[in-house]
Amino acid sequence: MAFAILSSFQDFLEDPAGVLSADARNPDPRDKEDNRDLDDPSLAYLSDGALPDPATGCIIGVIDDAIPFVHQRFTLPGNLSRMASVWLQDARFRPETGDDLPTGAEWRGAELSDLLARAASGDIAGEETIYRMTGAVDLTRSSTPSGAFEAGHGAAVAPLAAGFDPADPRARNHPLIAVCLPPRITADSMGVLAPVPILAGILFIINRARRLCRFIERRHDLTPGSVRLPVVINISLGLTAGPRDGSTPLERFMDAVSDFPAPDLGPIHFVLPVGNHRQDRLRARLKPGQDVAWRLPPDDSTINAIEIWGPPHAHFPRGDLQITLTVPGLAPATTAFTLPWQYSVLSGPDGRPLARAYYTPHQTRAGQWRDGITVIAVPTCPERLGEAFAPPGEWRVRIADASPGGIYDLAAQRDEVIRGFRRGARQSWFHDPGYRSHEPSGFPILTDAQNGGDPSVIRTDTVNAYATGERPLRGGAIHRHEGTTTPYSALLNDGQPGDCLVPVDRAINSPGMILRGRDSGSFEISSGTSMAAPQLARWLARQLSDGQRPGSRAAIRQLAENQSARPAPTPVLDFPTRFPEF
């Protein structure tokens, strides 16, 4: 575990993608653990009045952007913070705490309680001032300060996962450890920059959860190693493209952590959203010799990308997979890869590049290989005159006839405008005339079976590409009034809309739910399975606090099904869910 922490933190510190601000870096990270955090009051994880029960507590971890860590829902009476630790990954480096971290600022519960008390007494202006003092909101940065938005993703997710009324007796048993990702991670809707910061965030939560258990032992004068609180980590983030076989480093790490938790910590569970792109035509399946239309929208100032993944095979990659790309107005062009990591450039008549294809094979968990090709098209609307641009319209992607037999999976990368960030992105998609989005009556067609025929564009296996490991729980969304699955809730490979389902949208004709905003007392309206996952994380934390110990995803699903009043595994949520109370 120590080697993994250092290795991942070093990858994060190197930051080849440039997602971090220069002043966020720790010039000399401490690589050895000591016990200063157990004895120094300035490093205390929680005030004594906020310590959970050593026998029945359960730690909740949240990784997201702009988490409102001094929100009233994370406090106890007396202005005591339940936020044991928060890591602002891209804040100006703070040496007082977190000198073992590669970047950013860490703030712990006791000092947050002090800031809240000062705000309550009028010594400082309030929550907004605290966010600025801690570096969560820094308007001097060149990157968009996502923490400055009243309605933000993390501001909605974190209170759903770990927010309680301060007077609720259950609140104290659920301390929170949070990670605020760099704003540039949020701005990148494709998510290709996110895995390393997320992995570093997971390691941080595990490390601080272990230290919190040692801190509780010290404060209660208990035997070292006797407090082993369980941990539930919510990651309401995802990708639309990827191998989707549980073999990415992030997925394998989550599985390993759940299978082999630290010996001085309780079981660790991960909860992720199933995804929101069932109906967006971002997935297709082809056989050799078949093709599908890839539609690039006009006036798109961002790149568009798709991935093609072949069936698994036993031998080392040798370029068996080739694709033919036909750009509007140009002759078909076929790749000729022979070695991994080669790339081809598709140029227009004037010699300027229109797209690049990269040969990116991938090894599965079973030791087999899958051929992969990533195609990246330049923007259809360049930022500057004279720059190359891709012709919008219908590009065609074909699996070359000589490719090995089997099913080839295609996925379009997400390319959307994120609220508060750069505008101009437009989503590309696959098109097959046989794909029908709605019935003649106007209701959406929700499954491939209901679609009829055999279109290459599919709804099945539209699951979040971070969530195809063996252990994380995948949350799907249903309508509160009808109890039916929402049209956007993605489908797993077996056609299920998630492992467990919870209400998100009010009704078929009334989408969204009322959620907390950044500041205490504010609200926003949002939707999506990102709001289903934290509700399930909170439910699961409650079950663990009550002594339940489900050992697998199937066991968690069965536990939810035992509580469900509906055919699907929809657990009974033991916190307010009516509108507009939430």
Side-chain angles (χ1 to χ4, degrees), residues 299-340:
D299 195 30
D300 186 354
S301 60
T302 62
I303 62 172
N304 286 283
I306 59 171
E307 295 179 4
I308 302 96
W309 294 96
H313 54 75
H315 57 76
F316 188 76
R318 58 193 183 193
D320 291 336
L321 168 61
Q322 307 292 342
I323 63 167
T324 298
L325 196 63
T326 305
V327 178
L330 298 180
T334 302
T335 58
F337 297 125
T338 58
L339 294 172

mmCIF file of all heavy atoms in Angstrom, residues 299-340:
data_model
loop_
_atom_site.group_PDB
_atom_site.id
_atom_site.type_symbol
_atom_site.label_atom_id
_atom_site.label_comp_id
_atom_site.label_asym_id
_atom_site.label_seq_id
_atom_site.Cartn_x
_atom_site.Cartn_y
_atom_site.Cartn_z
ATOM 1 N N ASP A 299 -19.792 23.487 -36.195
ATOM 2 C CA ASP A 299 -19.576 24.533 -35.196
ATOM 3 C C ASP A 299 -19.107 23.959 -33.862
ATOM 4 O O ASP A 299 -19.479 24.438 -32.791
ATOM 5 C CB ASP A 299 -20.855 25.353 -34.996
ATOM 6 C CG ASP A 299 -20.601 26.661 -34.252
ATOM 7 O OD1 ASP A 299 -19.484 27.192 -34.390
ATOM 8 O OD2 ASP A 299 -21.488 27.128 -33.533
ATOM 9 N N ASP A 300 -18.266 22.933 -33.912
ATOM 10 C CA ASP A 300 -17.716 22.322 -32.698
ATOM 11 C C ASP A 300 -16.262 22.757 -32.568
ATOM 12 O O ASP A 300 -15.423 22.404 -33.403
ATOM 13 C CB ASP A 300 -17.822 20.799 -32.778
ATOM 14 C CG ASP A 300 -17.402 20.116 -31.484
ATOM 15 O OD1 ASP A 300 -16.924 20.814 -30.568
ATOM 16 O OD2 ASP A 300 -17.544 18.889 -31.395
ATOM 17 N N SER A 301 -15.949 23.502 -31.516
ATOM 18 C CA SER A 301 -14.584 24.003 -31.337
ATOM 19 C C SER A 301 -13.707 23.048 -30.552
ATOM 20 O O SER A 301 -12.569 23.392 -30.198
ATOM 21 C CB SER A 301 -14.624 25.357 -30.617
ATOM 22 O OG SER A 301 -15.224 25.228 -29.344
ATOM 23 N N THR A 302 -14.192 21.849 -30.258
ATOM 24 C CA THR A 302 -13.402 20.848 -29.532
ATOM 25 C C THR A 302 -13.205 19.614 -30.406
ATOM 26 O O THR A 302 -13.938 19.384 -31.367
ATOM 27 C CB THR A 302 -14.104 20.431 -28.232
ATOM 28 O OG1 THR A 302 -15.365 19.829 -28.550
ATOM 29 C CG2 THR A 302 -14.347 21.644 -27.353
ATOM 30 N N ILE A 303 -12.227 18.802 -30.044
ATOM 31 C CA ILE A 303 -11.984 17.568 -30.778
ATOM 32 C C ILE A 303 -13.124 16.588 -30.516
ATOM 33 O O ILE A 303 -13.848 16.686 -29.526
ATOM 34 C CB ILE A 303 -10.645 16.932 -30.380
ATOM 35 C CG1 ILE A 303 -10.654 16.548 -28.886
ATOM 36 C CG2 ILE A 303 -9.485 17.861 -30.703
ATOM 37 C CD1 ILE A 303 -9.448 15.739 -28.455
ATOM 38 N N ASN A 304 -13.287 15.609 -31.410
ATOM 39 C CA ASN A 304 -14.212 14.500 -31.220
ATOM 40 C C ASN A 304 -13.420 13.206 -31.303
ATOM 41 O O ASN A 304 -12.494 13.085 -32.116
ATOM 42 C CB ASN A 304 -15.300 14.516 -32.297
ATOM 43 C CG ASN A 304 -16.320 15.620 -32.058
ATOM 44 O OD1 ASN A 304 -17.183 15.493 -31.206
ATOM 45 N ND2 ASN A 304 -16.198 16.723 -32.793
ATOM 46 N N ALA A 305 -13.790 12.260 -30.465
ATOM 47 C CA ALA A 305 -13.009 11.027 -30.387
ATOM 48 C C ALA A 305 -13.919 9.816 -30.237
ATOM 49 O O ALA A 305 -14.975 9.880 -29.600
ATOM 50 C CB ALA A 305 -12.036 11.090 -29.210
ATOM 51 N N ILE A 306 -13.495 8.716 -30.827
ATOM 52 C CA ILE A 306 -14.161 7.431 -30.640
ATOM 53 C C ILE A 306 -13.097 6.370 -30.372
ATOM 54 O O ILE A 306 -11.908 6.552 -30.685
ATOM 55 C CB ILE A 306 -15.000 7.011 -31.865
ATOM 56 C CG1 ILE A 306 -14.130 6.916 -33.119
ATOM 57 C CG2 ILE A 306 -16.169 7.959 -32.072
ATOM 58 C CD1 ILE A 306 -14.849 6.300 -34.312
ATOM 59 N N GLU A 307 -13.535 5.261 -29.774
ATOM 60 C CA GLU A 307 -12.653 4.124 -29.525
ATOM 61 C C GLU A 307 -13.264 2.879 -30.152
ATOM 62 O O GLU A 307 -14.493 2.716 -30.144
ATOM 63 C CB GLU A 307 -12.443 3.906 -28.031
ATOM 64 C CG GLU A 307 -11.717 5.049 -27.338
ATOM 65 C CD GLU A 307 -11.547 4.809 -25.851
ATOM 66 O OE1 GLU A 307 -11.937 3.714 -25.378
ATOM 67 O OE2 GLU A 307 -11.042 5.704 -25.151
ATOM 68 N N ILE A 308 -12.416 2.005 -30.680
ATOM 69 C CA ILE A 308 -12.836 0.715 -31.227
ATOM 70 C C ILE A 308 -12.064 -0.366 -30.489
ATOM 71 O O ILE A 308 -10.822 -0.327 -30.428
ATOM 72 C CB ILE A 308 -12.565 0.618 -32.751
ATOM 73 C CG1 ILE A 308 -13.277 1.752 -33.503
ATOM 74 C CG2 ILE A 308 -13.003 -0.734 -33.287
ATOM 75 C CD1 ILE A 308 -12.407 2.955 -33.781
ATOM 76 N N TRP A 309 -12.783 -1.321 -29.895
ATOM 77 C CA TRP A 309 -12.164 -2.386 -29.118
ATOM 78 C C TRP A 309 -12.519 -3.735 -29.724
ATOM 79 O O TRP A 309 -13.682 -4.016 -29.990
ATOM 80 C CB TRP A 309 -12.638 -2.337 -27.668
ATOM 81 C CG TRP A 309 -12.180 -1.111 -26.946
ATOM 82 C CD1 TRP A 309 -12.859 0.048 -26.758
ATOM 83 C CD2 TRP A 309 -10.898 -0.932 -26.350
ATOM 84 N NE1 TRP A 309 -12.082 0.943 -26.071
ATOM 85 C CE2 TRP A 309 -10.876 0.377 -25.799
ATOM 86 C CE3 TRP A 309 -9.764 -1.740 -26.218
ATOM 87 C CZ2 TRP A 309 -9.765 0.887 -25.132
ATOM 88 C CZ3 TRP A 309 -8.663 -1.234 -25.543
ATOM 89 C CH2 TRP A 309 -8.664 0.057 -25.010
ATOM 90 N N GLY A 310 -11.497 -4.572 -29.930
ATOM 91 C CA GLY A 310 -11.703 -5.898 -30.502
ATOM 92 C C GLY A 310 -11.945 -6.957 -29.450
ATOM 93 O O GLY A 310 -11.825 -6.711 -28.249
ATOM 94 N N PRO A 311 -12.279 -8.176 -29.870
ATOM 95 C CA PRO A 311 -12.476 -9.281 -28.930
ATOM 96 C C PRO A 311 -11.146 -9.716 -28.325
ATOM 97 O O PRO A 311 -10.076 -9.486 -28.910
ATOM 98 C CB PRO A 311 -13.088 -10.377 -29.809
ATOM 99 C CG PRO A 311 -12.600 -10.066 -31.191
ATOM 100 C CD PRO A 311 -12.507 -8.574 -31.269
ATOM 101 N N PRO A 312 -11.149 -10.348 -27.151
ATOM 102 C CA PRO A 312 -9.889 -10.772 -26.525
ATOM 103 C C PRO A 312 -9.224 -11.898 -27.304
ATOM 104 O O PRO A 312 -9.882 -12.733 -27.925
ATOM 105 C CB PRO A 312 -10.332 -11.240 -25.130
ATOM 106 C CG PRO A 312 -11.784 -11.560 -25.265
ATOM 107 C CD PRO A 312 -12.323 -10.652 -26.319
ATOM 108 N N HIS A 313 -7.884 -11.916 -27.259
ATOM 109 C CA HIS A 313 -7.099 -12.984 -27.881
ATOM 110 C C HIS A 313 -5.879 -13.257 -27.027
ATOM 111 O O HIS A 313 -5.504 -12.454 -26.156
ATOM 112 C CB HIS A 313 -6.714 -12.625 -29.322
ATOM 113 C CG HIS A 313 -6.017 -11.297 -29.441
ATOM 114 N ND1 HIS A 313 -4.717 -11.089 -29.063
ATOM 115 C CD2 HIS A 313 -6.458 -10.101 -29.911
ATOM 116 C CE1 HIS A 313 -4.376 -9.821 -29.292
ATOM 117 N NE2 HIS A 313 -5.419 -9.203 -29.803
ATOM 118 N N ALA A 314 -5.211 -14.379 -27.266
ATOM 119 C CA ALA A 314 -4.128 -14.823 -26.387
ATOM 120 C C ALA A 314 -2.764 -14.253 -26.754
ATOM 121 O O ALA A 314 -1.891 -14.145 -25.895
ATOM 122 C CB ALA A 314 -4.064 -16.358 -26.401
ATOM 123 N N HIS A 315 -2.550 -13.878 -28.008
ATOM 124 C CA HIS A 315 -1.195 -13.486 -28.431
ATOM 125 C C HIS A 315 -0.957 -12.001 -28.211
ATOM 126 O O HIS A 315 -1.885 -11.204 -28.045
ATOM 127 C CB HIS A 315 -0.992 -13.838 -29.909
ATOM 128 C CG HIS A 315 -2.004 -13.217 -30.822
ATOM 129 N ND1 HIS A 315 -1.983 -11.895 -31.197
ATOM 130 C CD2 HIS A 315 -3.099 -13.750 -31.430
ATOM 131 C CE1 HIS A 315 -2.996 -11.618 -31.996
ATOM 132 N NE2 HIS A 315 -3.700 -12.741 -32.161
ATOM 133 N N PHE A 316 0.306 -11.621 -28.239
ATOM 134 C CA PHE A 316 0.689 -10.219 -28.092
ATOM 135 C C PHE A 316 0.155 -9.423 -29.290
ATOM 136 O O PHE A 316 0.084 -9.952 -30.412
ATOM 137 C CB PHE A 316 2.215 -10.100 -28.026
ATOM 138 C CG PHE A 316 2.702 -8.724 -27.688
ATOM 139 C CD1 PHE A 316 2.642 -8.248 -26.386
ATOM 140 C CD2 PHE A 316 3.221 -7.897 -28.672
ATOM 141 C CE1 PHE A 316 3.085 -6.975 -26.078
ATOM 142 C CE2 PHE A 316 3.670 -6.618 -28.378
ATOM 143 C CZ PHE A 316 3.596 -6.155 -27.071
ATOM 144 N N PRO A 317 -0.226 -8.175 -29.100
ATOM 145 C CA PRO A 317 -0.808 -7.390 -30.213
ATOM 146 C C PRO A 317 0.119 -7.321 -31.423
ATOM 147 O O PRO A 317 1.317 -7.070 -31.288
ATOM 148 C CB PRO A 317 -0.985 -6.004 -29.582
ATOM 149 C CG PRO A 317 -1.109 -6.254 -28.133
ATOM 150 C CD PRO A 317 -0.226 -7.428 -27.835
ATOM 151 N N ARG A 318 -0.465 -7.524 -32.597
ATOM 152 C CA ARG A 318 0.330 -7.515 -33.833
ATOM 153 C C ARG A 318 -0.395 -6.765 -34.948
ATOM 154 O O ARG A 318 -0.071 -6.926 -36.127
ATOM 155 C CB ARG A 318 0.609 -8.955 -34.269
ATOM 156 C CG ARG A 318 -0.649 -9.777 -34.497
ATOM 157 C CD ARG A 318 -0.364 -11.262 -34.605
ATOM 158 N NE ARG A 318 -1.577 -12.033 -34.896
ATOM 159 C CZ ARG A 318 -1.664 -13.350 -34.791
ATOM 160 N NH1 ARG A 318 -0.605 -14.048 -34.380
ATOM 161 N NH2 ARG A 318 -2.785 -13.978 -35.086
ATOM 162 N N GLY A 319 -1.375 -5.965 -34.599
ATOM 163 C CA GLY A 319 -2.048 -5.166 -35.607
ATOM 164 C C GLY A 319 -3.105 -5.905 -36.378
ATOM 165 O O GLY A 319 -3.358 -5.586 -37.552
ATOM 166 N N ASP A 320 -3.778 -6.863 -35.737
ATOM 167 C CA ASP A 320 -4.821 -7.599 -36.455
ATOM 168 C C ASP A 320 -6.032 -6.720 -36.754
ATOM 169 O O ASP A 320 -6.714 -6.909 -37.760
ATOM 170 C CB ASP A 320 -5.271 -8.817 -35.644
ATOM 171 C CG ASP A 320 -4.187 -9.880 -35.564
ATOM 172 O OD1 ASP A 320 -3.314 -9.897 -36.455
ATOM 173 O OD2 ASP A 320 -4.198 -10.683 -34.608
ATOM 174 N N LEU A 321 -6.316 -5.785 -35.850
ATOM 175 C CA LEU A 321 -7.460 -4.896 -36.053
ATOM 176 C C LEU A 321 -7.046 -3.717 -36.935
ATOM 177 O O LEU A 321 -6.085 -3.010 -36.636
ATOM 178 C CB LEU A 321 -7.977 -4.373 -34.708
ATOM 179 C CG LEU A 321 -8.987 -3.215 -34.763
ATOM 180 C CD1 LEU A 321 -10.255 -3.620 -35.519
ATOM 181 C CD2 LEU A 321 -9.334 -2.736 -33.363
ATOM 182 N N GLN A 322 -7.785 -3.514 -38.013
ATOM 183 C CA GLN A 322 -7.606 -2.337 -38.861
ATOM 184 C C GLN A 322 -8.990 -1.752 -39.132
ATOM 185 O O GLN A 322 -9.986 -2.476 -39.167
ATOM 186 C CB GLN A 322 -6.937 -2.704 -40.201
ATOM 187 C CG GLN A 322 -5.633 -3.486 -40.076
ATOM 188 C CD GLN A 322 -4.497 -2.678 -39.481
ATOM 189 O OE1 GLN A 322 -4.548 -1.447 -39.454
ATOM 190 N NE2 GLN A 322 -3.465 -3.368 -38.992
ATOM 191 N N ILE A 323 -9.043 -0.444 -39.294
ATOM 192 C CA ILE A 323 -10.318 0.203 -39.593
ATOM 193 C C ILE A 323 -10.183 1.038 -40.861
ATOM 194 O O ILE A 323 -9.078 1.468 -41.227
ATOM 195 C CB ILE A 323 -10.794 1.102 -38.438
ATOM 196 C CG1 ILE A 323 -9.809 2.261 -38.204
ATOM 197 C CG2 ILE A 323 -10.995 0.291 -37.168
ATOM 198 C CD1 ILE A 323 -10.358 3.351 -37.319
ATOM 199 N N THR A 324 -11.301 1.235 -41.502
ATOM 200 C CA THR A 324 -11.368 2.107 -42.673
ATOM 201 C C THR A 324 -12.232 3.309 -42.313
ATOM 202 O O THR A 324 -13.367 3.153 -41.845
ATOM 203 C CB THR A 324 -11.977 1.376 -43.879
ATOM 204 O OG1 THR A 324 -11.146 0.268 -44.213
ATOM 205 C CG2 THR A 324 -12.075 2.306 -45.079
ATOM 206 N N LEU A 325 -11.685 4.483 -42.525
ATOM 207 C CA LEU A 325 -12.366 5.726 -42.180
ATOM 208 C C LEU A 325 -12.672 6.480 -43.464
ATOM 209 O O LEU A 325 -11.776 6.716 -44.292
ATOM 210 C CB LEU A 325 -11.476 6.570 -41.268
ATOM 211 C CG LEU A 325 -12.133 7.726 -40.498
ATOM 212 C CD1 LEU A 325 -13.173 7.188 -39.522
ATOM 213 C CD2 LEU A 325 -11.067 8.512 -39.747
ATOM 214 N N THR A 326 -13.932 6.832 -43.649
ATOM 215 C CA THR A 326 -14.355 7.580 -44.830
ATOM 216 C C THR A 326 -14.872 8.944 -44.390
ATOM 217 O O THR A 326 -15.899 9.041 -43.710
ATOM 218 C CB THR A 326 -15.443 6.834 -45.610
ATOM 219 O OG1 THR A 326 -14.982 5.523 -45.938
ATOM 220 C CG2 THR A 326 -15.779 7.575 -46.900
ATOM 221 N N VAL A 327 -14.141 9.978 -44.778
ATOM 222 C CA VAL A 327 -14.494 11.348 -44.427
ATOM 223 C C VAL A 327 -15.338 11.931 -45.557
ATOM 224 O O VAL A 327 -15.082 11.650 -46.743
ATOM 225 C CB VAL A 327 -13.218 12.185 -44.207
ATOM 226 C CG1 VAL A 327 -13.553 13.638 -43.893
ATOM 227 C CG2 VAL A 327 -12.382 11.572 -43.085
ATOM 228 N N PRO A 328 -16.360 12.728 -45.253
ATOM 229 C CA PRO A 328 -17.184 13.317 -46.322
ATOM 230 C C PRO A 328 -16.338 14.004 -47.389
ATOM 231 O O PRO A 328 -15.485 14.840 -47.085
ATOM 232 C CB PRO A 328 -18.052 14.331 -45.567
ATOM 233 C CG PRO A 328 -18.154 13.791 -44.182
ATOM 234 C CD PRO A 328 -16.832 13.136 -43.917
ATOM 235 N N GLY A 329 -16.546 13.591 -48.652
ATOM 236 C CA GLY A 329 -15.833 14.200 -49.762
ATOM 237 C C GLY A 329 -14.481 13.595 -50.062
ATOM 238 O O GLY A 329 -13.817 14.010 -51.018
ATOM 239 N N LEU A 330 -14.033 12.604 -49.268
ATOM 240 C CA LEU A 330 -12.719 12.000 -49.481
ATOM 241 C C LEU A 330 -12.856 10.491 -49.684
ATOM 242 O O LEU A 330 -13.866 9.887 -49.329
ATOM 243 C CB LEU A 330 -11.801 12.271 -48.283
ATOM 244 C CG LEU A 330 -11.478 13.729 -47.967
ATOM 245 C CD1 LEU A 330 -10.568 13.805 -46.747
ATOM 246 C CD2 LEU A 330 -10.830 14.416 -49.160
ATOM 247 N N ALA A 331 -11.824 9.899 -50.254
ATOM 248 C CA ALA A 331 -11.810 8.460 -50.481
ATOM 249 C C ALA A 331 -11.563 7.731 -49.168
ATOM 250 O O ALA A 331 -10.956 8.281 -48.234
ATOM 251 C CB ALA A 331 -10.709 8.110 -51.487
ATOM 252 N N PRO A 332 -12.018 6.489 -49.042
ATOM 253 C CA PRO A 332 -11.769 5.721 -47.825
ATOM 254 C C PRO A 332 -10.271 5.552 -47.566
ATOM 255 O O PRO A 332 -9.476 5.431 -48.499
ATOM 256 C CB PRO A 332 -12.442 4.373 -48.106
ATOM 257 C CG PRO A 332 -13.446 4.661 -49.171
ATOM 258 C CD PRO A 332 -12.851 5.749 -50.016
ATOM 259 N N ALA A 333 -9.879 5.545 -46.299
ATOM 260 C CA ALA A 333 -8.489 5.350 -45.895
ATOM 261 C C ALA A 333 -8.452 4.278 -44.812
ATOM 262 O O ALA A 333 -9.237 4.321 -43.865
ATOM 263 C CB ALA A 333 -7.881 6.650 -45.373
ATOM 264 N N THR A 334 -7.549 3.310 -44.966
ATOM 265 C CA THR A 334 -7.466 2.176 -44.043
ATOM 266 C C THR A 334 -6.140 2.223 -43.284
ATOM 267 O O THR A 334 -5.086 2.495 -43.862
ATOM 268 C CB THR A 334 -7.583 0.846 -44.796
ATOM 269 O OG1 THR A 334 -8.826 0.814 -45.516
ATOM 270 C CG2 THR A 334 -7.537 -0.334 -43.832
ATOM 271 N N THR A 335 -6.207 1.945 -41.997
ATOM 272 C CA THR A 335 -4.992 1.910 -41.180
ATOM 273 C C THR A 335 -4.136 0.716 -41.571
ATOM 274 O O THR A 335 -4.613 -0.234 -42.193
ATOM 275 C CB THR A 335 -5.349 1.829 -39.692
ATOM 276 O OG1 THR A 335 -6.156 0.659 -39.472
ATOM 277 C CG2 THR A 335 -6.110 3.062 -39.240
ATOM 278 N N ALA A 336 -2.871 0.749 -41.169
ATOM 279 C CA ALA A 336 -1.948 -0.348 -41.465
ATOM 280 C C ALA A 336 -1.031 -0.573 -40.268
ATOM 281 O O ALA A 336 0.200 -0.607 -40.390
ATOM 282 C CB ALA A 336 -1.133 -0.033 -42.718
ATOM 283 N N PHE A 337 -1.605 -0.730 -39.104
ATOM 284 C CA PHE A 337 -0.818 -0.879 -37.880
ATOM 285 C C PHE A 337 -0.158 -2.247 -37.817
ATOM 286 O O PHE A 337 -0.736 -3.257 -38.230
ATOM 287 C CB PHE A 337 -1.711 -0.690 -36.651
ATOM 288 C CG PHE A 337 -2.317 0.677 -36.535
ATOM 289 C CD1 PHE A 337 -3.694 0.836 -36.419
ATOM 290 C CD2 PHE A 337 -1.521 1.812 -36.536
ATOM 291 C CE1 PHE A 337 -4.258 2.094 -36.301
ATOM 292 C CE2 PHE A 337 -2.077 3.076 -36.424
ATOM 293 C CZ PHE A 337 -3.444 3.219 -36.304
ATOM 294 N N THR A 338 1.037 -2.255 -37.281
ATOM 295 C CA THR A 338 1.762 -3.524 -37.088
ATOM 296 C C THR A 338 2.291 -3.674 -35.667
ATOM 297 O O THR A 338 2.566 -4.790 -35.238
ATOM 298 C CB THR A 338 2.943 -3.624 -38.056
ATOM 299 O OG1 THR A 338 3.827 -2.506 -37.859
ATOM 300 C CG2 THR A 338 2.463 -3.651 -39.505
ATOM 301 N N LEU A 339 2.453 -2.557 -34.950
ATOM 302 C CA LEU A 339 3.008 -2.584 -33.604
ATOM 303 C C LEU A 339 2.184 -1.685 -32.680
ATOM 304 O O LEU A 339 1.623 -0.679 -33.141
ATOM 305 C CB LEU A 339 4.468 -2.108 -33.595
ATOM 306 C CG LEU A 339 5.492 -2.974 -34.316
ATOM 307 C CD1 LEU A 339 6.839 -2.256 -34.384
ATOM 308 C CD2 LEU A 339 5.656 -4.324 -33.599
ATOM 309 N N PRO A 340 2.101 -2.037 -31.413
ATOM 310 C CA PRO A 340 1.383 -1.164 -30.476
ATOM 311 C C PRO A 340 1.960 0.244 -30.452
ATOM 312 O O PRO A 340 3.147 0.459 -30.687
ATOM 313 C CB PRO A 340 1.588 -1.867 -29.130
ATOM 314 C CG PRO A 340 1.847 -3.299 -29.473
ATOM 315 C CD PRO A 340 2.597 -3.263 -30.764
#
